[in-house]
Amino acid sequence: MTRKRPSSYEGIALVAPVTVPYERLSERGAQWFFGKALAAMLTAAGLKKSDIDGLGVSSFTLAPDSIITLCEYFKISPRWIEQIPLGGASGVIAARRAARAVQMGDAEIIACIGADTSKADGFRELVENFSSFSAKAAYPYGAAGPNGAFSLITQHYMDKYGTTREDFGGICLSQRRNAQAYDHALIKKPLDREGYLAARPIAGPVHLFDCVMPCAGAEGFLVMSVEKAKELNLPYVTIEGADELHNAYFDDPVQYRAGWAEFAPALYEQARCQPSDMDLLYTYDDYPVICMMQMEDLGFCAKGEAAKFVRDNDLDFDSPGLVHNSSGGQLSGGQAGSAAGYMGMVEAIRQLTGQALGNQVKDPTLALVSGYGMVNYDRGLCSTAAILKKGGL
């Protein structure tokens, strides 16, 4: 497939990155976390609710409510709404669709929010009812939810490329160090290589520290024109390039690549840069093997060479080179459902605008954020990526 370069996102600004602090368990509904995120964005931008004329949301636990009932709860009357049920791919997609709406004049200021709650036994219920595929074709036969699916993907990748558990540990250890400097990370207990390798097995080659911890929380940002951001005197970032592809390589027996490999050349052409130009990289990190796939498919290293890439690069937030998942990502920050799909976008905006929460990277200019979502048995179906640039440059 030949990928056509998407049209420009010129004139669009992303501002007001917010995180509603994560909680391991919460009896509050997802609605509460959405409301807290919206309130925080309004405060950060100096806006009123009536200024918001667009809303894009993602959630696994909002039902039976929807985006339109959120509008009723919040007493807002937007001209543009979009509900994006695509998990870890949702943040980039929300930014893309909101950007196009602003460019076309369908809305002026759009709030993009991912939020979920985490109640006792809620994750089991989510996994059991994730899709008709999982409910009818996998779960009843003892499939171990995401851990089982990713153990299959991880083992296949290890067999194909000779990658070891110690190689995956390089990602997990770096992200734990980053989390220790980030205000909102849930998991800050020190972790060394010996502790990582000694962790109890969960499913096949997947061990404890290769898995994310489900939690409750929210992430969000505002999309508006650059002119509006300047008028409001808000630090902003621009979208230099963005793309998405779904259900790529569906004939592969087990996933070892995804849609990024198809659209990466056009993405870099659109953004007029290369992987070597990036200061920050935010891969969706539900499991370390997926980080490695993104590093390869997005051109940071050749296919099968991500283990060497991780060994050869100091990816910590205070390193002089490329920084990876500066907040600790999901592996040490927690996975707040669909909010995890917005985490990389929010952290990238923070870092590029100098608003980091304890873990500021030195003078970053460019960030690549990639998303991955909606896993059915042996593959994730959604692949997204965006290149963001510090505004005013």
Side-chain angles (χ1 to χ4, degrees):
M1 180 188 302
T2 300
R3 294 289 295 177
K4 180 181 178 181
R5 186 177 70 183
S7 57
S8 171
Y9 295 89
E10 185 177 359
I12 297 299
L14 308 182
V15 306
V18 303
T19 299
V20 178
Y22 292 2
E23 304 173 17
R24 176 64 187 89
L25 294 171
S26 176
E27 289 305 310
R28 301 183 180 99
Q31 300 85 344
W32 186 89
F33 290 95
F34 275 111
K36 292 291 285 187
L38 180 60
M41 285 190 283
L42 294 174
T43 298
L47 296 170
K48 306 183 296 296
K49 281 195 299 184
S50 58
D51 295 319
I52 302 297
D53 59 355
L55 180 65
V57 305
S58 304
S59 182
F60 291 119
T61 56
L62 180 59
D65 283 336
S66 67
I67 187 169
I68 195 61
T69 47
L70 285 178
C71 295
E72 183 179 23
Y73 294 152
F74 300 157
K75 297 186 187 320
I76 60 175
S77 184
R79 297 187 291 139
W80 181 93
I81 58 175
E82 185 80 29
Q83 191 155 344
I84 304 166
L86 298 175
S90 298
V92 172
I93 294 173
R96 292 189 78 212
R97 296 182 184 174
R100 296 303 189 210
V102 172
Q103 285 181 323
M104 295 303 295
D106 293 336
E108 185 178 28
I109 301 175
I110 300 176
C112 297
I113 308 171
D116 269 300
T117 192
S118 179
K119 298 183 179 180
D121 210 30
F123 187 71
R124 181 194 62 78
E125 294 175 0
L126 172 63
V127 169
E128 183 177 358
N129 299 288
F130 187 74
S131 68
S132 59
F133 180 96
S134 61
K136 296 177 180 178
Y139 196 81
Y141 295 93
N147 293 329
F150 283 97
S151 70
L152 177 64
I153 294 171
T154 300
Q155 188 63 62
H156 181 263
Y157 185 92
M158 294 170 76
D159 293 343
K160 189 175 183 68
Y161 297 120
T163 310
T164 66
R165 281 198 60 231
E166 190 164 5
D167 293 328
F168 294 131
I171 290 174
C172 299
L173 296 177
S174 173
Q175 293 192 193
R176 181 61 59 88
R177 288 191 289 272
N178 290 343
Q180 289 172 329
Y182 175 60
D183 291 352
H184 291 323
L186 276 183
I187 309 172
K188 296 190 177 187
K189 184 177 179 180
L191 178 66
D192 58 20
R193 192 167 299 276
E194 291 72 24
Y196 169 82
L197 292 172
R200 63 183 175 87
I202 302 298
V206 172
H207 288 233
L208 180 63
F209 299 119
D210 300 312
C211 306
V212 295
M213 183 177 73
C215 60
E219 305 274 356
F221 52 87
L222 296 176
V223 181
M224 61 182 64
S225 68
V226 168
E227 290 76 13
K228 189 66 176 178
K230 290 179 177 178
E231 176 189 322
L232 295 170
N233 197 30
L234 295 174
Y236 66 91
V237 305
T238 57
I239 304 174
E240 298 300 295
D243 212 339
E244 62 189 84
L245 187 63
H246 307 288
N247 199 31
Y249 305 116
F250 50 79
D251 285 332
D252 288 348
V254 180
Q255 186 170 43
Y256 67 96
R257 56 184 177 169
W260 313 291
E262 289 289 331
F263 65 68
L267 176 71
Y268 291 119
E269 180 185 0
Q270 181 187 33
R272 301 175 300 280
C273 62
Q274 296 297 324
S276 58
D277 297 320
M278 298 301 138
D279 302 300
L280 307 169
L281 172 62
Y282 295 95
T283 65
Y284 189 79
D285 65 313
D286 47 358
Y287 295 81
V289 67
I290 303 304
C291 296
M292 289 193 174
M293 286 187 192
Q294 288 162 90
M295 291 171 178
E296 294 165 352
D297 289 357
L298 288 164
F300 288 86
C301 56
K303 199 66 191 170
E305 295 186 4
K308 182 178 185 301
F309 178 79
V310 171
R311 288 194 299 269
D312 292 347
N313 289 274
D314 180 357
L315 302 174
D316 294 4
F317 82 97
D318 54 357
S319 75
L322 179 70
V323 174
H324 177 241
N325 289 350
S326 56
S327 67
Q330 300 171 74
L331 288 169
S332 284
Q335 185 188 62
S338 285
Y342 290 68
M343 176 187 279
M345 291 291 289
V346 168
E347 176 67 4
I349 297 168
R350 276 204 193 100
Q351 290 287 349
L352 292 172
T353 57
Q355 301 178 81
L357 301 177
N359 61 333
Q360 182 65 56
V361 176
K362 185 178 180 180
D363 299 326
T365 298
L366 283 171
L368 191 152
V369 182
S370 58
Y372 170 88
M374 309 313 290
V375 177
N376 267 341
Y377 184 55
D378 62 353
R379 68 195 63 243
L381 302 179
C382 305
S383 305
T384 65
I387 295 174
L388 308 182
K389 186 176 183 180
K390 182 177 180 180
L393 297 177

